[in-house]
């Protein structure tokens, strides 16, 4: 099993921590795929190809969201901070600072 996602010896990490690390890696991979699809869609001239890519992009959004939810459920403090930022209007940084301060 590849271990490049770990910064500590995997055999010293609990199964829970290894799962968390795998989900973080998956989240990063989904974010990268979203960026790739956005670029491809922006330049694709063929409407059928673009439609397929847009469908694939929706799958990446879904996977990213499911992985994020898994991680937020695993880390209540992360969830608490995220709830103060996500789906709000106004200044994102201000919301982030406030949410972080309130979670401490």
């Amino acid at each position: 099993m590849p271990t490049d996602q770990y910064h500590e010896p995997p055999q010293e990490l609990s199964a829970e921590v290894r799962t968390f690390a795998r989900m973080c890696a998956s989240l990063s991979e989904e974010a990268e795929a979203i960026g790739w699809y956005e670029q491809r869609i922006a330049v694709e001239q063929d409407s059928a190809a673009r439609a397929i890519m847009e469908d694939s992009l929706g799958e990446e959004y879904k996977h990213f969201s499911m992985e994020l939810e898994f991680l937020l459920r695993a880390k209540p403090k992360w969830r608490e901070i995220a709830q103060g930022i996500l789906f709000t209007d106004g200044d994102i940084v201000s919301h982030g600072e406030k949410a972080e301060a309130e979670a401490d």
Side-chain angles (χ1 to χ4, degrees):
M1 173 172 131
T3 59
D4 57 339
Q5 70 209 34
Y6 302 115
H7 295 282
E8 299 296 330
Q11 66 276 12
E12 294 181 23
L13 301 172
S14 69
E16 180 181 11
V17 169
R18 291 192 312 271
T19 295
F20 189 82
R22 284 192 291 272
M23 292 302 288
C24 285
S26 292
L27 186 72
S28 294
E29 291 163 2
E30 298 300 342
E32 186 173 44
I34 288 167
W36 291 341
Y37 277 115
E38 290 286 349
Q39 292 175 50
R40 291 173 184 157
I41 290 165
V43 298
E44 183 54 56
Q45 298 298 307
D46 184 284
S47 61
R50 192 172 49 256
I52 292 166
M53 291 178 202
E54 288 169 346
D55 184 71
S56 296
L57 178 59
E59 287 291 312
E60 302 302 341
Y61 288 156
K62 178 183 75 175
H63 297 156
F64 181 94
S65 298
M66 291 187 310
E67 290 158 3
L68 179 59
E69 180 63 20
F70 178 92
L71 293 167
L72 293 175
R73 289 180 184 186
K75 299 294 178 181
K77 183 175 181 178
W78 186 0
R79 182 178 207 76
E80 182 181 353
I81 292 170
Q83 286 175 327
I85 301 167
L86 299 174
F87 311 109
T88 61
D89 294 323
D91 186 83
I92 296 169
V93 174
S94 294
H95 288 308
E97 294 298 325
K98 181 180 178 198
E100 184 180 22
E102 290 176 356
D104 286 340

